[in-house]
Amino acid sequence: MALYSEKVMDHFLNPRNLGVIEDADAVGEAGNAKCGDIMKMYLKIENGIIVDVKFETFGCASAIASSSMATELIKGKPVEEAEKLTNKAVAEALDGLPEYKMHCSVLAQEAIEEALKNYNNKENNNE
């Protein structure tokens, strides 16, 4: 059996939404010192909808694929829905990750959570 699903390989080799949003409404970062993976998520939000999302990831194939898939899962979605994204949903959308690579999907979830926390703090301070 192959180590990675076709979807993992596809998102690794052809990452979606790779890059930076210069005027992002929210930025979140998550990292794992043990494995060295670092993810940064940039969100553009209009009227409570994530209209654009980009990522920068320094890490392994699983980390890049998880970042890419996570952006696909929240793009165009309401903030409330993005807040419910789980690492399990990311891994399932990739047709699974090896057990010892599940932390990569957790990082994707955490980077999005950080970005949304950042956004909500800004919104609350503007009221």
Side-chain angles (χ1 to χ4, degrees), residues 26-30 39-43 45 50 53 70 74 79-88 90 105-121:
V27 179
E29 194 171 321
M39 286 179 194
K40 207 165 185 179
M41 294 279 177
Y42 301 86
L43 306 179
I45 300 169
I50 298 170
V53 54
I74 65 167
V79 168
E80 297 75 49
E81 204 172 311
E83 287 172 335
K84 295 181 188 137
L85 181 72
T86 64
N87 72 295
K88 217 172 156 184
V90 173
S105 60
V106 173
L107 282 182
Q109 176 188 340
E110 287 173 353
I112 290 168
E113 282 171 359
E114 280 304 306
L116 292 171
K117 212 180 286 177
N118 167 301
Y119 173 73
N120 288 329
N121 288 343

Side-chain angles (χ1 to χ4, degrees), residues 45-121:
I45 300 169
E46 288 171 21
N47 303 319
I49 304 289
I50 298 170
V51 292
D52 197 11
V53 54
K54 298 249 185 264
F55 77 92
E56 291 180 302
T57 293
F58 180 83
C60 64
S62 294
I64 291 166
S66 293
S67 304
S68 175
M69 181 55 84
T71 61
E72 288 284 275
L73 292 172
I74 65 167
K75 196 171 189 175
K77 300 282 191 310
V79 168
E80 297 75 49
E81 204 172 311
E83 287 172 335
K84 295 181 188 137
L85 181 72
T86 64
N87 72 295
K88 217 172 156 184
V90 173
E92 281 171 10
L94 288 168
D95 293 336
L97 285 170
E99 193 55 45
Y100 67 97
K101 290 291 185 182
M102 279 304 283
H103 67 271
C104 295
S105 60
V106 173
L107 282 182
Q109 176 188 340
E110 287 173 353
I112 290 168
E113 282 171 359
E114 280 304 306
L116 292 171
K117 212 180 286 177
N118 167 301
Y119 173 73
N120 288 329
N121 288 343

